């Protein structure tokens, strides 16, 4: 079993000393021969424990944040009382004194993700794990067997729903773009790189699963949508961001290879 790379991206360089940086040449365009379906399980923490997110029982899953506990996810019953993910436990209890709590069980989530990956082999032999709560399925050779990219996405949603798991799915020519779209809740099917670029451009950067410090850095320079990032000249990107972040953008746009290990 090979786990995917961490989702965190590098931040801005620590010391943005003013110096001239020559604009790097654009990397060669790589025409992908693959089509990727990303399946994100946004309520995996609850559902791995057999807790329906729509339950009217006021219950919250907790995770440790430093020395304090905070809400990782909660049921609809808790949300109706004002409880929400990221909230300190003390604040949640102030809103809902009768709130029931359970610790997040990461081992149960990982086991559930493995079981879901096994189900994913019904669509393709190539399934990549993207912890903590996503899968990537390479469906270039199998989508037509299900009626095309949109149809295979809908069939996957039905299969995982039958297992009592909520999903957000996206299909794109590159694995990283498909993953970003699914994690942002944008259920999009992009069949070409040109189509993909336009769809990515409309995404709010806040919707992407990037670290808060990176998001704050985007906000400081006025970047709100993914398209704002793409409109910056490459030499401007090179001055403001680390090479690792630029490489991730190139991978998402099909300008650099992005090999994935199959589980």
């Amino acid at each position: 079993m090979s786990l995917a790379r961490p989702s965190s991206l590098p931040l801005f360089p620590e010391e943005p000393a003013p110096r001239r940086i020559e604009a790097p040449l654009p990397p060669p365009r790589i025409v992908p021969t693959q089509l990727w379906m990303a399946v994100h399980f946004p309520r995996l923490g609850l559902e791995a424990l057999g807790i329906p997110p729509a339950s009217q029982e006021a219950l919250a899953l907790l995770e440790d944040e430093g020395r304090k506990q905070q809400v990782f996810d909660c049921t609809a019953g808790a949300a109706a009382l004002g409880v929400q993910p990221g909230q300190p436990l003390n604040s949640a209890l102030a809103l809902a004194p009768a709130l029931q709590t359970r610790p997040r069980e990461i081992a149960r989530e990982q086991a559930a993700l493995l079981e879901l990956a096994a189900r994913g082999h019904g669509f393709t032999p190539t399934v990549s794990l993207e912890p903590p709560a996503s899968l990537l399925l390479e469906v270039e050779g199998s989508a037509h067997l299900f009626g095309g990219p949109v149809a295979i996405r809908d069939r996957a949603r039905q299969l995982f729903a039958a297992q009592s798991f909520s999903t957000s799915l996206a299909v794109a020519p590159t694995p990283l773009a498909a993953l970003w779209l699914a994690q942002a809740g944008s259920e999009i099917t992009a069949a070409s790189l040109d189509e993909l670029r336009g769809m990515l451009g409309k995404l709010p950067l806040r919707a992407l699963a990037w670290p808060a410090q990176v998001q704050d850095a985007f906000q400081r320079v006025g970047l709100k949508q993914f398209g704002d990032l793409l409109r910056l000249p490459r030499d401007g990107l090179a001055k403001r961001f680390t090479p690792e972040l630029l490489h991730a953008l190139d991978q998402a746009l099909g300008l650099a290879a992005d090999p994935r290990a199959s589980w």
Side-chain angles (χ1 to χ4, degrees), residues 4-5 34 36 128 130 136 175 247 251 256-262:
R5 64 178 69 90
Q34 296 177 317
W36 291 87
S128 176
E130 294 293 330
L136 277 169
H247 186 60
Q251 289 178 320
D258 188 7
R260 299 280 167 158
S262 177

Side-chain angles (χ1 to χ4, degrees), residues 169-215:
L169 301 97
V171 179
T174 67
L176 189 53
L179 191 62
W180 285 351
L181 289 164
Q183 290 176 341
S186 295
E187 300 207 331
I188 284 172
T189 297
S192 69
L193 286 175
D194 290 337
E195 188 179 10
L196 172 64
R197 189 180 183 93
M199 291 178 173
L200 279 174
K202 299 174 184 177
L203 276 181
L205 286 172
R206 279 287 178 189
L208 297 177
W210 287 351
Q213 289 175 296
V214 176
Q215 296 283 9

Side-chain angles (χ1 to χ4, degrees), residues 17 25 33 54 74 95 115 142 145 160-161 184 186 196 201 203 207 210 212 248:
L25 293 175
T33 59
C74 65
L95 293 168
E115 292 181 8
S142 58
L145 300 175
F160 294 121
S186 295
L196 172 64
L203 276 181
W210 287 351

